[in-house]
Amino acid sequence: MSALYRIDSVHLHQFVQAIWRHAGSTADEARLVADHLVAANLAGHDSHGVGMIPSYMTSLAQGHLQLNQRPEIVKDVGAVLTLNARNGFGQVAAYEAMEHGIARARNFGIAAVGLHHSHHIGRIGHWAEQCAQAGFVSFHFVNVEGDPMVAPFGGSDRRFGTNPFCAIFPRHGHKPLLLDFATSGIAFGKTRVAWNKGVEVTPGYLIDHQGNATTDPGVMQQPPYGSLLPFGLHKGYALATMCEILGGALSGGRTTHQATLQTSADAIFNCMTTIIVNPHAFDAPAMHQEAEAFIDWVKQSPQSGDEPIQVPGEWEEANRRARQEQGIPLDANSWQQICHAALQAGMSADELDAFRAQTSSS
């Protein structure tokens, strides 16, 4: 395994902002991208954190990612909005889409937002947390347009993306309940992290180019390419299919098929359909009491092992506490790739060395 760096989240946030400012982003865009990527690492989802920067830089160089774009409302029927992100940063497009949706849900009690032609929107839970901060429930269906990585149940080659699903429920006096997962057994980015660390992945998540089971993350990183598998056999595959249609087609975007296949693995484009609900629009005065009674009931189950019973979202919150205190861990390969991307963006060697001097390794 490669060496491990520990980087303070504030320092890392400053570094990410500086990279994108050098690349040509406005201050607001650089801040939103840094907000999202560092927050993903803090939550423990390194697959969607700052390790994405090299891929984004390649996408920019290839002309796929467009800097300083603002999503455009292409249809507005009150409680339902459709936005075109114009190939801009997903961290900007999704943030603004959620702001629009939150405003409409506050007015109507419910809102639906379709977002399409967005560069990678990253960790979907980030957008759900934005809704929960406003006091709203939300549901998110996402597809990865034209970038197949996952084999269908019963199939042996890649046919669709990792197609996340996400839902959130705000709680009084507690962090929200947050469900956020790829419909593949693991996210593609987790194979990148494992590849950079020089470790295998857990059995049952990958097949090679011949359809044989493997634990080698390299089948997703270099040709001949293998495939991820859906979680839960036919159930994960079925949910991925619905995310493809509801996220891709319903949002006004595109689904994955022969005519939409991307020419570059770094051209990651998402479509997302989001439903945002004001829970107080329902006739449910005991809603929060009932939710907490259920959570208490579940946690009273005798533990079957050493780990405590957790509800959705608690794993991420535990990671935030630990990483705020101990720093964000990055393997040496990922850190070197990010530093190289900083130089590609136009950062001077002296400025990069100043940032590097503030990291520690083990």
Side-chain angles (χ1 to χ4, degrees):
M1 292 180 63
S2 60
L4 193 67
Y5 289 84
R6 289 276 178 182
I7 307 174
D8 175 76
S9 61
V10 173
H11 164 63
L12 187 58
H13 191 279
Q14 292 168 346
F15 182 45
V16 176
Q17 284 191 90
I19 290 173
W20 292 110
R21 290 291 283 141
H22 281 293
S25 289
T26 64
D28 283 346
E29 177 168 278
R31 175 183 55 79
L32 286 171
V33 174
D35 286 350
H36 184 276
L37 295 181
V38 174
N41 285 109
L42 283 172
H45 294 285
D46 298 323
S47 57
H48 290 65
V50 296
M52 292 301 304
I53 291 173
S55 176
Y56 290 177
M57 198 63 66
T58 300
S59 184
L60 175 64
Q62 293 174 344
H64 303 295
L65 169 61
Q66 302 298 310
L67 299 184
N68 302 316
Q69 298 295 311
R70 300 283 298 278
E72 174 189 5
I73 296 177
V74 294
K75 188 170 184 180
D76 182 347
V77 293
V80 182
L81 294 170
T82 306
L83 290 88
N84 184 338
R86 305 192 297 184
N87 298 344
F89 261 123
Q91 286 79 6
V92 175
Y95 172 79
E96 294 198 11
M98 295 305 98
E99 288 295 283
H100 284 299
I102 288 166
R104 298 304 172 94
R106 189 171 285 120
N107 186 27
F108 295 106
I110 190 169
V113 182
L115 176 67
H116 58 77
H117 289 92
S118 174
H119 200 264
H120 188 228
I121 59 179
R123 175 179 167 257
I124 311 305
H126 190 93
W127 314 121
E129 287 163 351
Q130 185 178 345
C131 296
Q133 286 175 351
F136 295 155
V137 170
S138 64
F139 309 91
H140 308 256
F141 301 89
V142 183
N143 84 325
V144 189
E145 177 187 307
D147 189 17
M149 294 183 178
V150 186
F153 180 67
S156 60
D157 71 350
R158 43 177 68 191
R159 292 286 158 163
F160 50 87
T162 52
N163 293 11
F165 172 76
C166 181
I168 201 163
F169 181 85
R171 299 167 65 191
H172 285 164
H174 301 278
K175 295 296 182 180
L177 293 176
L178 171 63
L179 172 66
D180 176 23
F181 57 75
T183 49
S184 52
I186 55 173
F188 168 75
K190 293 189 185 299
T191 69
R192 185 196 73 242
V193 172
W195 175 249
N196 282 337
K197 289 182 176 180
V199 300
E200 295 185 335
V201 301
T202 304
Y205 292 144
L206 297 175
I207 55 175
D208 64 19
H209 69 287
Q210 295 179 318
N212 299 315
T214 181
T215 58
D216 178 12
V219 302
M220 300 301 296
Q221 306 299 317
Q222 57 186 0
Y225 292 111
S227 305
L228 295 163
L229 293 173
F231 84 89
L233 303 174
H234 62 286
K235 296 180 180 180
Y237 162 58
L239 182 56
T241 299
M242 297 307 294
C243 285
E244 185 76 35
I245 303 302
L246 296 176
L250 183 61
S251 70
R254 298 185 297 179
T255 61
T256 299
H257 48 83
Q258 188 64 45
T260 64
L261 295 180
Q262 300 288 346
T263 58
S264 169
D266 297 288
I268 307 171
F269 288 94
N270 292 126
C271 304
M272 177 168 68
T273 297
T274 297
I275 312 299
I276 304 173
V277 179
N278 181 350
H280 297 293
F282 288 88
D283 182 17
M287 173 184 62
H288 286 290
Q289 293 93 317
E290 285 297 318
E292 296 306 319
F294 171 74
I295 292 169
D296 290 343
W297 166 254
V298 167
K299 290 199 168 194
Q300 287 169 18
S301 177
Q303 289 180 207
S304 61
D306 295 331
E307 295 297 321
I309 297 168
Q310 293 184 316
V311 294
E314 288 187 333
W315 182 84
E316 287 84 353
E317 191 56 29
N319 281 319
R320 289 187 187 102
R321 290 192 297 269
R323 293 184 172 197
Q324 287 283 14
E325 179 180 335
Q326 302 167 10
I328 290 172
L330 284 175
D331 65 87
N333 288 333
S334 295
W335 180 234
Q336 288 302 113
Q337 291 166 4
I338 294 166
C339 291
H340 179 68
L343 294 174
Q344 287 180 300
M347 183 178 291
S348 71
D350 287 345
E351 185 178 357
L352 176 57
D353 286 342
F355 278 113
R356 277 175 160 164
Q358 300 180 53
T359 66
S360 62
S361 64
S362 59

